[in-house]
Amino acid sequence: MVDADAVAAELYGLRPEEFTAARDAHAAAARKAGQRAEAKRIAALHKPTLAVWAANRLARADADQAQHLLELGRGLREAHRTLSGEDLRKLSHQQHVVIAAMAGEARRLAGEAGQDLSAGVQREVEQILRSVLADPEAASTWARGVLEKAPPPAVGFAEVAPAPGTAPRPQQPERRMEPEPEPEPESEPDDTQEAERTSREAELAEEALALAETEREEARAGLGALDEQIAGLEERLGRAREERERLAAVAEAAERSHKDAVREAKRARTAARKGRRR
C-alpha cells in the first residue's frame, strides 16, 4: 500500500533536483497498485524551490528549534492581538534574532547537503520563517518539513507592531445608565477618546522606532559576521594555495626520481644482457 502522506514526507526531504523523478516513480507505483486517489495526490505534489527545501531541511534537522519558532509565533500573534506594547518590544527583538540565526543554520545545513544558498535565497528563507510566525497553518506544515511552496508574505504583523495610526481605539468601559440631574457635556468623552488615541499612536511610533533601531543593529552585526567569514575563507584559501605549491614541488621531485629510476633500470637490464652474451 502506498501512503501519500509518507511519500510527501520522503519527497520533501530530497534535494529539489531529485524531487520530480522520485515523485513520478511513487505516483506510478500507486497507479500500479490500483490506488488512483493516492497516485493523483502524489502526482500533484509541487517541486519545492531551493528556499522552501532549505526551510524544510531546517525544520527536520532540529525539532526543538522548530518548536521554539512556533511558540514565538503564538506569542507574537497574541501580543499583536492584545496590542501589548511591552510584549511586542521583547518578542519583536527575539523574532529578528531567532530568524537571522535560523536562516544562517539553514544555509549551513544546505551546504552540508552539497547545495550552496545565495544571499537572495537566504533572504527568501527568512521571509518564509516570518510567514510561519504569522500563519498557524503554515507553521504546522513547516514544522513537519513538508512545505510545498513559500507561504504568502505575512500580513498579520508584517513588522510585528501595528503601524502608527492604524490601531483600533481602546474600548471605553461600559457605563451604567443612572439618572443624572444634568447630562454631561458630549465633548468631554470625545476629548478623552482623542487623547487616548493620540497617546496610543505615540506609543506605537516609539515601538516602531525601537524596532528600526534593533534592525539596524542586527544588520551591522550581520555585516560584521560576514566580514569575519570572508576573512576566514581568505585565510583558508591562502593555506590551501601554500599546500598546493608544496604538493606540486613534491610531485615534481617524485617525477624526476621516477625518471632517474627508469633510466637506471634500463642501464641495468642492458648490462645484464651483455653479461649473458659473454
Side-chain angles (χ1 to χ4, degrees), residues 66-254:
Q67 186 60 35
H68 176 58
L69 189 70
L70 300 190
E71 291 173 357
L72 177 59
R74 284 191 288 269
L76 279 165
R77 291 193 297 274
E78 178 62 20
H80 183 75
R81 185 183 67 80
T82 59
L83 295 177
S84 173
E86 182 61 27
D87 288 345
L88 281 172
R89 279 191 292 272
K90 290 190 296 185
L91 292 173
S92 63
H93 174 73
Q94 187 179 358
Q95 172 207 16
H96 290 285
V97 172
V98 169
I99 285 181
M102 292 182 72
E105 178 68 4
R107 187 172 189 174
R108 185 189 68 78
L109 291 170
E112 286 184 352
Q115 183 65 65
D116 292 332
L117 299 188
S118 67
V121 172
Q122 188 169 348
R123 285 194 294 272
E124 290 180 39
V125 173
E126 292 178 356
Q127 181 58 55
I128 290 171
L129 296 178
R130 279 192 288 270
S131 297
V132 164
L133 283 173
D135 185 342
E137 184 177 350
S140 176
T141 304
W142 169 77
R144 299 196 307 273
V146 292
L147 271 180
E148 292 190 42
K149 56 185 178 180
V155 295
F157 43 88
E159 292 296 338
V160 182
T166 62
R169 294 184 179 184
Q171 294 183 353
Q172 299 297 313
E174 184 178 352
R175 297 187 178 186
R176 298 177 59 185
M177 300 301 295
E178 296 181 358
E180 295 286 345
E182 295 181 1
E184 296 183 10
E186 295 183 358
S187 60
E188 290 185 11
D190 290 343
D191 290 344
T192 301
Q193 287 184 351
E194 181 64 22
E196 290 177 351
R197 184 185 66 81
T198 302
S199 176
R200 183 55 180 157
E201 287 180 355
E203 181 181 347
L204 291 173
E206 294 205 358
E207 290 170 6
L209 176 60
L211 179 60
E213 290 176 348
T214 298
E215 290 177 341
R216 181 184 63 180
E217 291 171 3
E218 289 171 356
R220 288 176 176 173
L223 287 174
L226 287 175
D227 287 340
E228 290 180 3
Q229 290 181 20
I230 291 170
L233 290 172
E234 289 176 343
E235 183 179 352
R236 288 172 57 191
L237 178 60
R239 289 198 299 267
R241 285 173 173 166
E242 291 175 358
E243 181 64 12
R244 186 186 185 284
E245 291 176 0
R246 185 187 70 79
L247 290 175
V250 170
E252 185 177 353

